Amino acid sequence: MYRNVGTRLPEDIVKNIEYIAEEEKVDKSRLLRNLIAVAIKEKLIDLALEKYSKREVSLGRAAELANIPIADFMVIAAKRKIPVNYTLEDLEEDFKAVMKVK
C-alpha cells in the first residue's frame, strides 16, 4: 500500500534526482522510494547502534530495532568499532545455563 507524502526540495537536489532517474532509466517516484528506503534502513541501524553502545538496549533488541539479523548487526557494530556489551558475569551466567542443560 502506498501513500502520498509531499515535500519541498531545493532545486539542486531536484536536478540530481532527475539526472539519476534518467541515468538509471527509472521514473522519479521509484528512484525516490528506493533512495528513501536505503536512507531509512541506514538511519535505523545508526539509531540502534547508538542505543546499543549506550547500553540502553540489548544486542537482540538493537538488531530488532535495526530490522536486521543479530549476526549482521554484530558485523556492522564490529566494523564501526562498537564493543560487544558482554561482561564476565554474562559469560558465567551463560556457562551455568549450559551446564544445567547437560
Side-chain angles (χ1 to χ4, degrees):
M1 179 173 160
Y2 291 97
R3 288 180 47 192
N4 283 336
V5 177
T7 187
R8 295 178 185 268
L9 297 171
E11 186 62 34
D12 60 325
I13 291 177
V14 173
K15 286 181 182 178
N16 287 332
I17 290 167
E18 291 169 345
Y19 170 73
I20 294 168
E22 186 177 318
E23 286 294 313
E24 295 188 357
K25 298 184 182 6
V26 297
D27 61 88
K28 290 184 284 185
S29 292
R30 177 175 289 168
L31 174 65
L32 287 170
R33 281 192 301 270
N34 291 341
L35 290 172
I36 291 169
V38 169
I40 288 172
K41 183 174 182 170
E42 285 299 314
K43 188 63 174 179
L44 287 172
I45 290 169
D46 290 344
L47 290 171
L49 285 167
E50 183 178 336
K51 286 181 178 287
Y52 179 71
S53 68
K54 291 179 179 178
R55 296 180 179 257
E56 293 175 6
V57 296
S58 67
L59 179 65
R61 179 68 180 133
E64 285 177 12
L65 293 172
N67 290 325
I68 58 175
I70 291 175
D72 293 348
F73 187 83
M74 291 174 73
V75 168
I76 294 167
K79 285 181 181 177
R80 297 193 191 181
K81 302 200 182 332
I82 296 173
V84 175
N85 295 337
Y86 195 74
T87 64
L88 181 58
E89 290 79 20
D90 294 332
L91 176 62
E92 289 172 349
E93 285 179 27
D94 289 345
F95 186 73
K96 287 176 186 174
V98 168
M99 295 308 290
K100 284 181 184 178
V101 172
K102 286 186 171 186

